[in-house]
Amino acid sequence: MSVTTATPAATSPAAAPVGVPAPLPVLGRDVTVPLVTGGEVTYAALDYAASAPALQRVWDDVAAYAPYYGSVHRGAGYLSQLSTDLFESARLTVAEFLDCRAEDQVVFTRSTTDSLNLLAAALPAGCEVFVFETEHHAALLPWRGARVTFLDAPPTPYEAVDTLERALAARDTDAPALVCVTGASNVTGELWPVRGLAAAAHAHGARIVLDAAQLAPHHPVSVQDLDVDWVAFSGHKLYAPFGSGVLAGRADWLTAAEPYLAGGGASRRVARRADGGVDVEWHEGAARHEAGSPNVIGVHALASACKALTEAGWDTLVTRENHLIDRVRAGLADVPEVRVLSLFGEDAPRVGVLSFVVEGWNSSHFAAALSAEYGIGVRDGLFCAHPLVRTLLGGDPESQGECGAPEAAPGEKSLNAIRVSFGAGTPDEHVDRFVRAVRELVSEGAKWEYRTRDGRCVPAV
C-alpha cells in the first residue's frame, strides 16, 4: 500500500495523438453549464465511476423500442410477446458479453449492490465469506447472515493472493466458502489479480464472485478465462443508466435458495390449503429471483451497451483509455502538491479511475471549485469504500478548511479525497481542462468564496 506523488506512465502523453475524439458518443456531450465566475462552458463529466452517461447508441435503441413497450412473460398480445423476446434476447447478449459457461444463469437485478445481496441471500447454511477491507460497500456489507472474515488491504497483487491463500488454509471447517473481490478498485482504479484469487479459492474448495462494476465498462470480462463462479455488475456504470444490473454464474446455490423476492413471476403455482395457508411452487430458473414486472427497458439498454462496447472493439477502447490515463497522470505529476492514492504502487495497471489529495486543500472544497469555476464534475468523499480510503490516507486529517467532506464521520471532516474517472465517452478536451484546472487552483487559488451547506461545499452567494 502506498500514497505516492503521481508520476508519468511509460508512454508520454506528448507522444500520444492529440484531439482524439471519444470512440463512443454519449448523451450530454454538448450540455453547457454556468460558471460562478460568469459565462458558460461545455460540461466535463469526469465522474464515470459513479454513473457513466448513457451511450447515444443506448438512448437510440431505447427510444426505438419505447413505442412497443409491453408486459414481459405470459402476455398474449403482440407487444407483450415482442417485449418478452427482447428481454430474453438480452439475457443471451449478456451471457455472450461475459463469456459465460453453457450452464451458467443470468439473473437481472437492479444493480451490483442488488446482485451481491441476492447472492448473499442464497448462501448455503454455514457458508463462510472472505472479503478484503478494500471493497466497495456493495461487496463489503451484504454478508450479514454469514461468518465473515475481513482481510487486510494487501500492498501488492502477489500479497493479495498470498493473504487469501493463508486465510483459506486456516479454515477449521469443511462448510461452503465464498470469496468476494473487485476486478478494479472504485478508488484507485487498480486492477486486481482475479485469476490468481480464483485459483486460490478453488484450490481450497471455495467459490468466488467478481464485483465487475468498475471492470466491465473498461475491460473485457470473461467468466471462463478468469474462472470465477459469479460476476456482478451494474448498467448505470456501463453507459445504460436505466436501473438494471446482473448476477451471472453458477445456478445451483440460486436454485436451492428461497426466492430473493416473493411474488408474481417467481412463483410457478400457488394454491390455498385446507388449513387456510398457501402452498407455493417456485420457478427454478432465473425467474426464481426476478419477481415482479421486469425492467425490460433497463435490460434492453444494458444489452445495447454490451453490444456497443463489443462492436467498438476492446483493443481500441483500452488503448484510448490508457491514452487518457497517461495524460491525467502526467499532468498531475507536474503538480508537487498532488498525491495520487495507490494500493499496489504507481506502476500498477488500472482503469480510468484515479483518486488524489491536494496539499493545503480540503478535497470537498477543491471539487466544488472544479465544478463552479471550470464546469468539471468529479467526486469527493470516501467513495462508499470508507475502510480503504481511510487506510490510504493514513487516518490523519489534513487542515479542515472551510468545507467538510459529505461522507465523513464527525471529527473527520477533512478525511476525504477527490476522484476523477472517465471512459469511452470522454474527449481529450475534458481531461486536458481538468489538468489545467488543477494546476491553476493549486498555483492561484480559487476565484470564489465557498461555504458548507447541507453537508456540501458550495459557492457562497
Side-chain angles (χ1 to χ4, degrees):
M1 177 191 60
S2 60
V3 181
T4 59
T5 300
T7 57
T11 302
S12 169
V18 177
V20 178
L24 289 173
V26 295
L27 291 182
R29 58 190 180 275
D30 299 322
V31 167
T32 59
V33 295
L35 302 181
V36 71
T37 51
E40 293 186 341
V41 67
T42 303
Y43 184 65
L46 296 179
D47 193 17
Y48 277 44
S51 283
L55 289 178
Q56 184 67 55
R57 153 81 173 269
V58 169
W59 185 260
D60 292 343
D61 283 351
V62 167
Y65 162 67
Y68 300 92
Y69 171 79
S71 63
V72 175
H73 300 141
R74 297 172 303 283
Y78 177 81
L79 298 191
S80 179
Q81 293 180 34
L82 185 149
S83 296
T84 298
D85 288 345
L86 200 72
F87 187 81
E88 293 304 329
S89 175
R91 205 185 302 276
L92 297 176
T93 296
V94 170
E96 183 177 355
F97 179 74
L98 295 174
D99 188 28
C100 288
R101 298 165 289 255
E103 67 275 14
D104 282 341
Q105 196 172 84
V106 173
V107 179
F108 289 120
T109 66
R110 296 176 297 174
S111 60
T112 306
T113 302
D114 196 32
S115 295
L116 293 175
N117 274 271
L118 163 57
L119 184 59
L123 295 180
C127 186
E128 184 174 4
V129 177
F130 294 81
V131 57
F132 285 93
E133 66 172 351
T134 48
E135 293 292 321
H136 186 282
H137 295 171
L140 195 69
L141 302 180
W143 322 104
R144 289 167 291 181
R147 176 183 173 188
V148 183
T149 298
F150 293 105
L151 306 174
D152 293 339
T156 67
Y158 170 82
E159 292 195 43
V161 177
D162 185 62
T163 296
L164 180 62
E165 285 268 15
R166 286 186 281 107
L168 290 171
R171 293 180 68 214
D172 57 2
T173 175
D174 292 329
L178 177 71
V179 176
C180 180
V181 67
T182 188
S185 171
N186 78 302
V187 177
T188 67
E190 293 164 318
L191 298 177
W192 275 63
V194 178
R195 288 187 189 88
L197 293 166
H202 293 152
H204 292 277
R207 295 190 180 189
I208 185 168
V209 57
L210 172 64
D211 172 1
Q214 299 296 339
L215 183 62
H218 303 275
H219 283 260
V221 175
S222 169
V223 168
Q224 297 190 68
D225 183 45
L226 296 173
D227 196 23
V228 294
D229 298 282
W230 292 277
V231 170
F233 70 95
S234 296
H236 72 98
K237 299 187 191 299
L238 197 81
Y239 309 99
F242 294 90
S244 59
V246 167
L247 178 66
R250 303 198 182 278
D252 54 348
W253 285 8
L254 297 174
T255 299
E258 287 292 302
Y260 180 48
L261 297 173
S267 54
R268 184 192 303 274
R269 186 184 67 86
V270 179
R272 288 292 302 275
R273 296 197 305 264
D275 63 4
V278 175
D279 285 326
V280 183
E281 179 185 347
W282 303 107
H283 281 293
E284 294 187 357
R288 185 182 187 86
H289 299 290
E290 292 178 347
S293 296
N295 178 11
V296 60
I297 286 182
V299 166
H300 179 48
L302 180 64
S304 173
C306 290
K307 291 177 182 177
L309 290 166
T310 301
E311 291 168 7
W314 281 112
D315 287 346
T316 298
L317 295 176
V318 171
T319 298
R320 173 75 197 324
E321 185 169 306
N322 286 336
H323 155 70
L324 295 180
I325 293 170
D326 289 348
R327 295 180 80 87
V328 171
R329 293 184 66 206
L332 294 180
D334 287 339
V335 186
E337 294 83 356
V338 170
R339 293 183 296 151
V340 174
L341 306 184
S342 174
L343 189 66
F344 297 149
E346 60 191 38
D347 294 327
R350 68 187 67 223
V351 299
V353 179
L354 294 94
S355 296
F356 62 98
V357 293
V358 184
E359 182 181 349
W361 282 81
N362 177 278
S363 294
S364 294
H365 185 190
F366 201 89
L370 286 173
S371 174
E373 300 179 26
Y374 297 91
I376 298 170
V378 296
R379 175 78 39 145
D380 65 278
L382 301 177
F383 318 127
C384 292
H386 295 188
L388 172 58
V389 178
R390 290 190 174 108
T391 296
L392 293 172
L393 294 179
D396 296 323
E398 301 172 17
S399 174
Q400 288 194 7
E402 61 269 39
C403 291
E407 294 185 64
E412 290 186 340
K413 285 188 175 181
S414 59
L415 193 63
N416 60 330
I418 306 153
R419 184 180 70 191
V420 56
S421 53
F422 40 85
T426 305
D428 281 22
E429 189 276 327
H430 288 187
V431 299
D432 290 343
R433 192 198 319 170
F434 164 75
V435 170
R436 288 195 305 270
V438 170
R439 290 173 179 159
E440 288 182 13
L441 285 172
V442 171
S443 63
E444 303 173 14
K447 301 179 179 65
W448 206 262
E449 294 293 325
Y450 295 81
R451 64 184 179 87
T452 300
R453 185 180 69 198
D454 299 328
R456 295 288 325 167
C457 190
V458 297
V461 293

